[in-house]
Amino acid sequence: MSAVDVTGAARRRSRTGSGLVLAVLSAASFGSAGPLAGGLLATGWSPGAVVLVRVTIAALVVAPFAAVSLRGHWNALRRNTLTVLAYGALAVAGAQFCYFSAVSRMDVGPALLIEYTAPAAVVVWLWLRHAQRPGAVTLAGAALAAVGLLLVLDLFSGADLDPVGVLWALGAMVGATTYFVLSADDTTGLPPLALAGGGLLTGAVALGLLGAVGVLPLRATTAAVTYADRTVTWWVPLLVLGVVTAGLAYTTGVLAGRRLGSRLASFVALLEVVAGVVAAWLLLGQLPATVQLLGGVLVLAGVVTVKLGEPRAA
């Protein structure tokens, strides 16, 4: 093997390693959104109001970094206007609002399970659109992760499924699939931070317009919010939702997608469900059961298997 080949292989390993770290950070950040938002919803906030404030704060935080990354790339932004608009409407506003609307009508577990069929949708999309047929190892990893997801969500105890809630969860799945596909597209010439910042800004504007015309119910209170028997001021969870679970989560997610590709990034994102269980334990005192811990191990094993099934050139 030549020195050039060795150097190229080392760069690919480094890129993949950093991508995995970013993907895990993104999943952990996204995972705490549910328990944090749940506390606000319990005090009278509407899902639309939580999403609007969350996305607006994230857009304000990411905007300066997006502007810096666009120096010399403004033409790329103009060429990809439709991509940014689709990202903001579906991957940001649509996915979040649909998910919070789903959990307002059904249990969190089934809603997450429906939303996180997105990795399977990504595999099908890449197969049909780009002829990237999944191999046996990838399919085995997907099956392993699916079993682990069922255990983490602990659905075997039985749960009522609201038909409208199921439709909202399916809408969240479409948004999540769009997020993974567009985040990983490195052929546009658009910097990752520009995509994240533009999408967040677009999502905030879209949600604000819907709220202004009365299509999106906006209810908010200034009541204190309780987590794990501790009461905090109402703006504290909102700030964390905006900065950590949206701003940090979306930027690291786009960066991870560019390094890993949409298929692997979407499966690593399944760790968000595990992170959500941990966050619910810490914030809401909901201790995970043994079967959920086993499910977390299987999800991780599935992600590793999918990684082993990825083409070497990727």
Side-chain angles (χ1 to χ4, degrees), residues 3-148:
V4 174
D5 292 334
V6 173
T7 302
R11 287 178 178 175
R12 286 194 295 272
R13 286 195 298 269
S14 176
R15 183 176 177 83
T16 300
S18 63
L20 290 172
V21 171
L22 289 167
V24 171
L25 179 58
S26 178
S29 301
F30 273 127
S32 58
L36 284 169
L40 289 166
L41 295 175
T43 64
W45 281 73
S46 66
V50 173
V51 174
L52 175 59
V53 175
R54 179 190 183 198
V55 173
T56 301
I57 293 175
L60 294 174
V61 170
V62 179
F65 301 98
V68 171
S69 72
L70 277 170
R71 290 180 179 177
H73 296 85
W74 293 103
N75 287 332
L77 179 61
R78 285 190 290 270
R79 289 196 307 269
N80 293 281
T81 300
L82 292 179
T83 298
V84 173
L85 292 177
Y87 188 89
L90 297 176
V92 178
Q96 293 191 44
F97 176 67
C98 288
Y99 170 69
F100 286 130
S101 296
V103 299
S104 70
R105 305 184 66 98
M106 61 190 297
D107 292 342
V108 171
L112 278 174
L113 180 62
I114 295 171
E115 180 184 9
Y116 274 90
T117 57
V122 170
V123 170
V124 174
W125 169 261
L126 293 177
W127 187 356
L128 298 178
R129 181 67 176 82
H130 300 286
Q132 296 181 15
R133 183 174 182 176
V137 176
T138 297
L139 293 176
L144 196 60
V147 173

Side-chain angles (χ1 to χ4, degrees), residues 145-293:
V147 173
L149 188 61
L150 286 171
L151 295 178
V152 170
L153 298 176
D154 196 16
L155 297 182
F156 298 107
S157 57
D160 294 329
L161 296 181
D162 182 278
V164 177
V166 170
L167 291 177
W168 280 120
L170 288 172
M173 182 272 289
V174 173
T177 303
T178 304
Y179 163 74
F180 292 122
V181 172
L182 294 183
S183 294
D185 188 359
D186 58 358
T187 64
T188 62
L190 190 64
L193 289 178
L195 176 61
L200 288 168
L201 181 60
T202 301
V205 171
L207 291 168
L209 291 175
L210 292 175
V213 299
V215 176
L216 182 66
L218 299 177
R219 297 188 308 274
T221 70
T222 56
V225 186
T226 301
Y227 298 105
D229 298 327
R230 292 187 178 183
T231 301
V232 297
T233 309
W234 59 274
W235 56 264
V236 173
L238 286 173
L239 189 62
V240 178
L241 278 168
V243 176
V244 177
T245 75
L248 178 64
Y250 273 100
T251 52
T252 53
V254 174
L255 291 168
R258 295 290 177 90
R259 287 164 170 77
L260 301 177
S262 56
R263 180 163 54 198
L264 179 56
S266 67
F267 278 96
V268 177
L270 290 176
L271 295 175
E272 177 186 335
V273 182
V274 181
V277 171
V278 175
W281 173 28
L282 297 176
L283 296 176
L284 305 178
Q286 299 176 359
L287 186 67
T290 302
V291 67
Q292 291 178 300
L293 298 176

